[in-house]
Amino acid sequence: ARKGVDPLFLSCMRLLALANKPTKLRRAVEREEWTKGWPETLAIDRRSESAAAELAIGALQQALHCLAPASAQIRQKYGSERLASRPTVRVREAETMVIVGLLKSMKELELLSHNEYLFDALRDAQRRPASAPSPKGSAKAGTRDSGGGGGGAAARGGGAG
């Protein structure tokens, strides 16, 4: 089962992306729709979402690069011992897997934010309550049935629960 990105992490990235644009940040905070689920936020626009994804990618890549020297130190400390038996190694492996998973999701979000149609679909999916059924118009029935409409469940935090 694939988990979605922590909405608080993404909200922090959105705030950081807007931090150097005080006017845009003020407008976003004043919008009731953006702050109604505080501290979870919604995407504002494609440019801001792309900037948030880029910030997240940078932070996650930095965290991943910090893990590499620590992993080397663990190997040096325990030498030729069977490393899999060490909890430290298992924890480091889990940390790496989480960061890599988040990194992939943020890269997908960055790509998605560059496509107007997919970004609009994501924003619509975020605004729709989780319990509300998706609209099924007969005119559009064949257009998005199996095309993977841009990570809706993952972007909302994992789907129904």
Side-chain angles (χ1 to χ4, degrees):
R2 180 178 162 180
K3 287 189 175 183
V5 174
D6 181 359
L8 298 180
F9 173 74
L10 195 49
S11 293
C12 287
M13 295 299 110
R14 288 178 180 140
L15 283 171
L16 285 172
L18 293 175
N20 64 348
K21 302 171 187 169
T23 304
K24 200 166 195 171
L25 177 61
R26 186 174 6 92
R27 285 185 198 144
V29 171
E30 290 172 353
R31 291 164 90 186
E32 184 179 326
E33 179 183 83
W34 198 68
T35 57
K36 71 179 177 185
W38 188 259
E40 295 180 20
T41 59
L42 300 175
I44 296 175
D45 58 34
R46 287 178 26 207
R47 184 175 294 149
S48 297
E49 198 72 358
S50 179
E54 288 175 19
L55 282 170
I57 289 168
L60 292 166
Q61 285 176 334
Q62 185 177 9
L64 200 55
H65 289 299
C66 289
L67 289 180
S71 295
Q73 289 173 347
I74 291 170
R75 282 191 298 274
Q76 183 179 13
K77 180 177 180 177
Y78 296 115
S80 63
E81 284 185 48
R82 193 172 144 223
L83 291 177
S85 66
R86 294 284 178 185
T88 317
V89 174
R90 284 190 235 134
V91 168
R92 184 52 36 100
E93 182 181 352
E95 288 172 335
T96 303
M97 288 173 52
V98 167
I99 291 173
V100 167
L102 279 171
L103 197 51
K104 286 179 183 178
S105 294
M106 290 297 101
K107 286 182 178 184
E108 288 174 4
L109 178 61
E110 184 181 32
L111 288 172
L112 188 138
S113 66
H114 290 295
N115 181 305
E116 183 178 352
Y117 174 76
L118 292 176
F119 180 77
D120 289 343
L122 170 67
R123 199 158 48 174
D124 290 344
Q126 286 180 335
R127 290 180 177 152
R128 189 179 319 123
S131 60
S134 299
K136 294 183 181 180
S138 59
K140 296 182 181 180
T143 58
R144 288 193 279 172
D145 285 349
S146 61
R156 288 190 308 271

